[in-house]
Amino acid sequence: METDQAVQNFRAGYGALRAEIGKVIVGHDAVVDGTLIALFAGGHVLLEGVPGLGKTLLVRTLGEVLDLSFSRIQFTPDLMPADILGTNIVMEIPGGRREFQFQRGPIFAHLVLADEINRATPKTQSALLEAMQEHQVTAGGELRKLVEPFFVMATQNPIDQEGTYPLPEAQLDRFFFKILVGYPSAAELTEVLTRTTAGARAQVTQVLSREALLELMAVAREVPVASHVKDYAVRLVLATHPRTETAAPISSQYLRFGSSPRGGQSLILAGKVRALTDGRFNVSFDDISAVAALALRHRLILNFEAEAEGITTDHIVAQILKDVPRDAQAVMA
């Protein structure tokens, strides 16, 4: 009975967030669901799309519907790591003396919007590495813990856009999901124009407190994963490693490097959240395969042949899902 109630509470919280965001965001159902799945799994999200598709609006709206502190960092070529982390500044104290005091940067918030992250130099991009993985930063000569929960929601323009810098592989790997934001349909564009060119902007309300969010995140962690489902996730990750015994043929042909173990962690955690949104307290094969592209696309490094032939990591993930059987016995056979 307690389990059933936990599942119902989770679905209610998820549904409330989904409904509030829908007051502002038109369409992009898969994008919103992917973002919320990563949120409840405790992971960071990278949203990629050309300017003007609502990436920043989505993250800002998420900050409004959650009772969390929110900060926005506009990444530009002249942004420095200290502008993100903070720095020591000279302050005058009583008695006429002066001393250094640490001025916290915008990274010290629950939800951090890293807007157009790939317009900053790699040096500045890398300032987020420790924060995203360890939930702490080394600044002002000291180790400083970040507030919990801590999420980085980053937006980036396609790397072929002018004035962009590809994110380092080590930082890409720290994003739970990479979500591609596409153009709206004709009906969605019509609705966008209606909402944004007449009347006032839709107002949203906070629907989840910090404590309630942490509680629902804890529930997601408790969802059991059967051994054969976990084995399927493992075999998907191993199939991305080129020129190994477990590699899928397409991986050996088109990849330089495959997914790290973080890819497997993302598959399992996202599968748990997806199961709860469907009213189940168990993870299925479909849960794993449904999030495979989101969890793996940014963790695969293409070789020259793939780039020359226009092969994308999404093509590779889709083929791996076809090649890797769900039944482990089929592998042994």
Side-chain angles (χ1 to χ4, degrees):
M1 192 65 180
E2 292 182 0
T3 298
D4 291 340
Q5 187 62 51
V7 173
Q8 292 175 14
N9 290 342
F10 188 96
R11 294 192 74 188
Y14 184 94
L17 273 181
R18 192 74 177 75
E20 284 299 306
I21 293 174
K23 293 180 180 179
V24 177
I25 302 299
V26 177
H28 291 316
D29 292 342
V31 174
V32 174
D33 285 331
T35 302
L36 292 181
I37 287 175
L39 174 76
F40 282 105
H44 312 294
V45 173
L46 178 62
L47 298 165
E48 180 178 286
V50 298
L53 296 181
K55 303 183 298 297
T56 302
L57 179 61
L58 169 60
V59 181
R60 190 168 67 239
T61 303
L62 185 60
E64 293 175 358
V65 300
L66 292 170
D67 185 19
L68 301 176
S69 59
F70 174 77
S71 67
R72 178 177 182 269
I73 306 170
Q74 181 64 53
F75 280 69
T76 56
D78 60 348
L79 191 73
M80 299 298 291
D83 297 326
I84 299 173
L85 305 179
T87 186
N88 282 323
I89 60 175
V90 178
M91 298 290 291
E92 187 169 336
I93 60 176
R97 294 185 300 109
R98 295 179 179 181
E99 66 177 19
F100 283 108
Q101 291 186 6
F102 182 71
Q103 183 71 36
R104 291 190 169 195
I107 197 71
F108 290 89
H110 291 114
L111 180 59
V112 177
L113 167 57
D115 207 7
E116 295 188 300
I117 189 173
N118 63 332
R119 292 213 180 274
T121 61
K123 176 182 178 180
T124 301
Q125 294 169 3
S126 298
L128 292 174
L129 284 174
E130 182 183 13
M132 293 174 66
Q133 181 61 29
E134 307 295 337
H135 290 203
Q136 64 184 26
V137 296
T138 303
E142 295 182 16
L143 189 66
R144 303 174 189 274
K145 292 289 186 180
L146 298 173
V147 291
E148 295 290 349
F150 172 71
F151 306 103
V152 173
M153 304 286 179
T155 69
Q156 78 167 3
N157 302 307
I159 59 174
D160 56 349
Q161 292 256 315
E162 184 177 357
T164 59
Y165 301 84
L167 292 176
E169 288 82 359
Q171 184 167 352
L172 277 173
D173 194 35
R174 283 165 172 78
F175 282 103
F176 189 85
F177 277 173
K178 178 181 178 181
I179 302 175
L180 305 181
V181 184
Y183 289 103
S185 65
E188 291 169 347
L189 181 56
T190 300
E191 180 62 22
V192 168
L193 297 179
T194 301
R195 293 190 186 187
T196 57
T197 61
R201 177 178 179 269
Q203 299 297 311
V204 296
T205 58
Q206 292 181 348
V207 295
L208 272 185
S209 66
R210 171 180 176 272
E211 292 72 21
L213 176 60
L214 288 172
E215 184 177 332
L216 295 181
M217 290 171 62
V219 170
R221 290 268 176 171
E222 296 299 320
V223 176
V225 183
S227 59
H228 57 282
V229 175
K230 189 178 298 182
D231 177 69
Y232 177 58
V234 169
R235 287 186 282 112
L236 286 178
V237 172
L238 293 180
T240 68
H241 297 166
R243 295 170 297 281
T244 63
E245 293 182 356
T246 58
I250 195 171
S251 298
S252 295
Q253 182 177 1
Y254 292 120
L255 291 182
R256 289 171 52 210
F257 299 101
S259 171
S260 72
R262 289 194 185 100
Q265 293 170 347
S266 296
L267 288 174
I268 295 297
L269 289 172
K272 291 183 176 187
V273 176
R274 190 176 184 276
L276 287 173
T277 63
D278 195 39
R280 292 176 285 107
F281 203 68
N282 59 83
V283 180
S284 68
F285 289 124
D286 287 339
D287 293 325
I288 301 297
S289 60
V291 300
L294 297 170
L296 300 178
R297 61 163 54 113
H298 55 299
R299 294 185 164 96
L300 308 182
I301 301 179
L302 301 171
N303 60 22
F304 177 78
E305 183 179 354
E307 295 176 355
E309 296 184 19
I311 300 296
T312 67
T313 54
D314 280 9
H315 289 139
I316 295 173
V317 173
Q319 187 60 48
I320 287 174
L321 288 173
K322 294 178 181 178
D323 291 346
V324 176
R326 296 182 172 186
D327 183 3
Q329 298 299 322
V331 179
M332 298 176 62

